[in-house]
């Protein structure tokens, strides 16, 4: 089957500026040694149409960086990414404007995704219904609970109808009913042949949503395959990792990330 | 040049988005207040009233400028100035304020400076109609004013967009730049003869410096077209100088924007 998302030897490094002046100097391409953090290292994989891929790993292993890359929000430092179609990213802080009401946010996000006023008017009632905001729809988003924000963000992105959906921890704040509704929606997406990436710390959620999984380990692709296999390996790793002493965990982290040395 | 081509292509492709989002921005800026769109006119009216009473009635004692009532002379300079200062400040802030939303999707970042200027332009056009009515009644308006105002309005818009590419990129990366731009805009207000008249008593050095100020060219242009329907300045070297600066701004700003925009999210 044709691929939807293809990563070829993708790496992403962040520069760790200490002072603002360093940013300025770099602007005018004055070479300076700046510490970098390699968030992702030589990642290659291919995902086909209709796949639901879970992304798992410890904190700081590069999950969100990977999701940003898939959504086209950042570009890789090295390597090549090929994406077929439009991608939408749903994160907890899902790009909603806190000053605006939920109603206006739907319009803003729709306009920014290039929808016409007519299309926005069409999806608006569906979004409001799906997000179950009730009377809060005319309140500014800053007063929303985190669950409401996540619901609104999810509802907007889903109704804009992207080809590829990247969900970054956005469901972890929702309650069971909302998660179930999202599951239905995700399955509907799946049956339409769309690709979904699902990032979560909840292994049971990953297991129920996904059919494939990517395990990131300190920026490296540890394993990519069937969700059952990857999760059982990851669980095994977690068990040993949790048994380690703090000293050993620290050593392991430094081994992969370095201890802040200048590259 | 390559950067400009990329930016131009993105603008053509997203033309609809530029207009819908700039209108939306205008709506959001005013709708949250009780008086709504009334502020669009009320805000400049209050400022004009203050400048008129302090400079016109206070300092000048109500004396006219070259036979034109000071009030009319003042608004012909102040209205384009409001657009200029709003454009400079909003344009510089435009990318930074939109980034949180825009970075969560694959949004064409290059249209952000343009749409923030366009959104200011709407207010400016409304005020121009108001000013046209005032002049028609108090002083008489010739049809020759129309092409002049259109030309200077277009020039100013291009200048502001070019400048915004430069300032918005820099101020997204280093926030201090935005404060610098705000201060510079405030200084520019007094360094441009918007509400004082340059005459023979002005020191030669200051006169030369002011003649190099591109905004002075614009304010002067608005005044001569609105008050006298005089278009002579369009055919002068000043026009060439002004568009030269605008082109340089586009070249540098566009290059920086394209080179750095992919990193914007990492800077956030």
């Amino acid at each position: 089957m044709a691929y939807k998302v293809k990563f070829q030897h993708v790496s992403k490094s962040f520069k760790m500026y200490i002072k603002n002046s360093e940013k300025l100097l770099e602007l005018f391409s004055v070479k300076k040694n700046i510490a970098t953090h390699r968030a992702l290292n030589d990642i290659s994989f291919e995902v086909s149409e209709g796949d639901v891929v879970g992304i798992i790993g410890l904190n700081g292993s590069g999950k969100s960086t990977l999701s940003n890359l898939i959504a086209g929000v950042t570009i890789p430092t090295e390597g090549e990414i090929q994406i077929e179609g439009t991608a939408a990213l749903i994160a907890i802080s899902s790009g909603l404007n806190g000053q605006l009401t939920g109603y206006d946010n739907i319009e803003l996000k729709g306009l920014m995704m290039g929808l016409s006023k007519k299309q926005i008017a069409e999806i608006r009632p569906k979004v409001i219904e799906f997000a179950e905001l009730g009377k809060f729809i005319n309140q500014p988003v800053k007063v929303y609970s985190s669950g409401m924000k996540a619901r609104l963000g999810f509802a907007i992105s889903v109704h804009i109808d992207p080809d590829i959906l990247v969900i970054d921890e956005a469901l972890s704040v929702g309650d069971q009913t909302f998660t179930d509704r999202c599951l239905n929606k995700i399955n509907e997406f799946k049956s339409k042949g769309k690709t979904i990436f699902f990032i979560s710390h909840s292994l049971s959620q990953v297991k129920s949503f996904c059919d494939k999984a990517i395990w990131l380990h300190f920026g490296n692709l540890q394993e990519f395959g069937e969700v059952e296999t990857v999760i059982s390996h990851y669980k095994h790793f977690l068990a040993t990792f949790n048994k380690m002493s703090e000293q050993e965990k620290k050593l392991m982290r430094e081994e992969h990330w370095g201890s802040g040395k200048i590259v | 040049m390559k950067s400009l081509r990329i930016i131009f292509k993105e603008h053509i492709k997203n033309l609809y988005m530029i207009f819908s989002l700039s209108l939306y921005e205008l709506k959001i800026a005013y709708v949250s207040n009780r008086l709504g769109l009334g502020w669009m006119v009320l805000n400049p009216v209050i400022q004009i009233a203050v400048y008129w009473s302090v400079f016109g009635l206070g300092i000048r004692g109500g004396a006219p400028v070259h036979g034109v009532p000071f009030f009319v002379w003042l608004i012909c300079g102040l209205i384009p100035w409001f657009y200029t200062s709003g454009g400079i400040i909003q344009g510089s802030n435009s990318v930074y304020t939109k980034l949180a939303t825009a970075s969560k999707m694959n949004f064409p970042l290059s249209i952000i400076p343009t749409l923030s200027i366009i959104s200011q332009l709407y207010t400016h056009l409304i005020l121009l109609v108001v000013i046209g009515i005032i002049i028609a009644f108090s002083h008489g308006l010739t049809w020759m004013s129309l092409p002049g105002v259109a030309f200077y309005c277009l020039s100013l818009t291009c200048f502001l967009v070019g400048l915004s590419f430069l300032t918005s990129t820099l101020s997204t990366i280093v926030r201090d730049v935005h404060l610098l731009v705000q201060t510079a805009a405030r200084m520019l207000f007094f360094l441009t003869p918007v509400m004082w008249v340059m005459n023979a008593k002005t020191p030669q050095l200051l006169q030369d410096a002011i003649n190099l100020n591109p905004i002075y060219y614009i304010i002067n242009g608005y005044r001569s077209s609105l008050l006298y329907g005089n278009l002579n300045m369009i055919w002068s070297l000043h026009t060439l100088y002004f568009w030269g600066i605008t082109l340089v701004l586009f070249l540098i700003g566009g290059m920086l924007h394209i080179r750095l925009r992919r990193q914007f999210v990492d800077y956030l």
Side-chain angles (χ1 to χ4, degrees):
Chain A
M1 210 191 286
Y3 67 87
K4 271 276 175 184
V5 176
K6 188 177 183 181
F7 273 53
Q8 282 170 303
H9 305 290
V10 171
S11 299
K12 174 82 190 173
S13 309
F14 291 100
K15 295 202 167 99
M16 318 264 281
Y17 298 102
I18 298 163
K19 282 180 292 182
N20 266 342
S21 61
E22 288 180 336
K23 289 185 197 170
L24 261 187
L25 282 177
E26 222 214 8
L27 269 187
F28 300 104
S29 44
V30 179
K31 290 273 172 210
K32 239 190 138 200
N33 283 333
I34 293 163
T36 54
H37 171 65
R38 209 169 175 80
L40 284 177
N41 186 25
D42 197 18
I43 307 280
S44 300
F45 64 86
E46 218 174 277
V47 171
S48 323
E49 235 174 55
D51 277 347
V52 182
V53 184
I55 301 175
I56 52 177
L58 297 173
N59 273 333
S61 53
K63 299 188 296 294
S64 293
T65 309
L66 184 67
S67 70
N68 282 343
L69 285 173
I70 297 168
V73 171
T74 46
I75 53 152
T77 320
E78 287 158 39
E80 203 184 327
I81 301 173
Q82 280 162 297
I83 309 264
E84 298 291 320
T86 53
L89 174 69
I90 311 171
I92 293 182
S93 55
S94 42
L96 298 171
N97 186 333
Q99 298 299 322
L100 303 181
T101 64
Y103 192 86
D104 286 334
N105 262 297
I106 299 173
E107 183 168 348
L108 177 63
K109 214 158 177 199
L111 286 175
M112 289 182 79
M113 297 291 281
L115 299 188
S116 68
K117 295 246 175 206
K118 204 176 136 221
Q119 283 169 306
I120 292 170
E122 259 168 43
I123 64 161
R124 186 181 275 135
K126 291 186 211 160
V127 172
I128 295 173
E129 201 200 312
F130 190 89
E132 286 191 330
L133 289 170
K135 59 190 177 188
F136 275 93
I137 194 67
N138 287 319
Q139 294 293 315
V141 165
K142 63 184 173 190
V143 305
Y144 284 21
S145 71
S146 47
M148 290 159 97
K149 277 184 207 162
R151 292 207 300 265
L152 181 61
F154 185 86
I156 296 175
S157 299
V158 157
H159 285 90
I160 282 167
D161 214 20
D163 300 315
I164 299 158
L165 196 60
V166 186
I167 306 164
D168 188 352
E169 310 248 21
L171 301 191
S172 44
V173 284
D175 57 16
Q176 196 55 46
T177 21
F178 184 68
T179 318
D180 289 345
R181 218 136 33 91
C182 292
L183 179 63
N184 290 338
K185 200 79 199 173
I186 288 174
N187 282 330
E188 193 182 300
F189 259 61
K190 213 166 127 182
S191 61
K192 280 193 217 159
K194 300 193 176 192
T195 306
I196 298 152
F197 288 87
F198 182 70
I199 297 169
S200 179
H201 282 291
S202 152
L203 293 182
S204 59
Q205 271 188 4
V206 173
K207 226 175 207 173
S208 59
F209 279 143
C210 311
D211 36 47
K212 281 185 179 168
I214 290 174
W215 171 13
L216 289 175
H217 186 58
F218 295 117
N220 293 305
L221 183 71
Q222 187 79 8
E223 195 175 357
F224 173 49
E226 291 303 315
V227 69
E228 298 287 335
T229 350
V230 178
I231 284 195
S232 73
H233 289 167
Y234 181 63
K235 271 186 175 160
H236 183 99
F237 160 76
L238 273 185
T240 42
F241 184 75
N242 287 333
K243 261 186 245 152
M244 284 185 196
S245 67
E246 282 303 315
Q247 193 60 32
E248 283 173 304
K249 284 183 190 169
K250 204 179 150 200
L251 262 176
M252 191 170 182
R253 247 176 244 133
E254 284 186 0
E255 195 183 308
H256 287 282
W257 283 341
S259 44
K261 62 182 188 298
I262 289 175
V263 185
Chain B
M1 267 311 185
K2 204 180 137 220
S3 316
L4 283 188
R5 210 156 48 227
I6 299 174
I7 290 174
F8 187 70
K9 262 190 207 148
E10 277 188 8
H11 277 71
I12 296 293
K13 209 175 125 200
N14 299 299
L15 214 53
Y16 172 76
M17 231 199 266
I18 293 177
F19 287 104
S20 60
L21 274 174
S22 56
L23 271 174
Y24 181 80
E25 199 163 277
L26 189 71
K27 188 180 113 189
I28 290 306
Y30 292 104
V31 155
S32 49
N33 305 313
R34 195 162 285 251
L35 282 176
L37 288 174
W39 279 110
M40 214 158 111
V41 177
L42 203 57
N43 197 18
V45 164
I46 292 169
Q47 287 194 53
I48 289 171
V50 171
Y51 290 132
W52 180 45
S53 46
V54 172
F55 288 89
L57 301 179
I59 293 176
R60 292 185 62 88
V65 181
H66 307 307
V68 179
F70 183 77
F71 178 75
V72 177
W73 183 86
L74 178 75
I75 53 174
C76 288
L78 267 182
I79 299 295
W81 172 257
F82 289 147
Y83 180 35
T84 312
S85 74
I88 291 176
I89 291 167
Q90 298 299 327
S92 154
N93 214 10
S94 59
V95 172
Y96 184 81
T97 47
K98 277 264 181 303
L99 201 53
T101 319
S103 66
K104 295 292 174 207
M105 57 188 90
N106 204 342
F107 186 76
L109 287 176
S110 77
I111 68 170
I112 294 179
T114 314
L115 71 87
S116 83
I117 300 294
I118 300 282
S119 145
Q120 304 275 324
L121 179 62
Y122 298 133
T123 318
H124 180 59
L125 291 178
I126 291 177
L127 289 177
L128 274 181
V129 173
V130 175
I131 205 180
I133 296 171
I134 293 177
I135 293 174
F137 277 104
S138 73
H139 181 82
L141 198 63
T142 72
W143 281 112
M144 284 309 283
S145 298
L146 207 58
V149 169
F151 174 79
Y152 290 112
C153 185
L154 178 76
S155 308
L156 181 56
T157 305
C158 288
F159 177 84
L160 288 174
V161 171
L163 184 70
S164 301
F165 270 110
L166 184 65
T167 52
S168 66
T169 307
L170 291 176
S171 69
T172 302
I173 289 164
V174 183
R175 280 309 282 162
D176 307 42
V177 173
H178 183 60
L179 293 176
L180 194 73
V181 168
Q182 274 181 325
T183 314
R186 218 166 291 140
M187 273 163 54
L188 196 63
F189 178 54
F190 292 99
L191 290 177
T192 313
V194 176
M195 33 165 213
W196 55 277
V197 190
M198 199 157 74
N199 55 29
K201 276 186 275 176
T202 316
Q204 190 58 40
L205 195 67
L206 187 62
Q207 281 193 31
D208 293 343
I210 284 167
N211 275 323
L212 287 178
N213 174 355
I215 304 302
Y216 179 52
Y217 163 76
I218 292 291
I219 301 278
N220 232 352
Y222 267 99
R223 271 199 183 123
S224 52
S225 344
L226 278 170
L227 294 176
Y228 311 108
N230 180 347
L231 307 182
N232 289 339
M233 210 167 65
I234 297 181
W235 317 114
S236 71
L237 277 177
H238 286 290
T239 302
L240 210 60
Y241 170 74
F242 180 86
W243 283 95
I245 290 184
T246 305
L247 188 67
V248 170
L249 283 175
F250 265 106
L251 282 175
I252 301 176
M255 192 192 73
L256 277 178
H257 175 89
I258 292 293
R259 209 205 275 180
L260 294 166
R261 68 167 169 189
R262 283 303 181 181
Q263 297 165 29
F264 279 167
V265 185
D266 301 350
Y267 281 118
L268 202 64

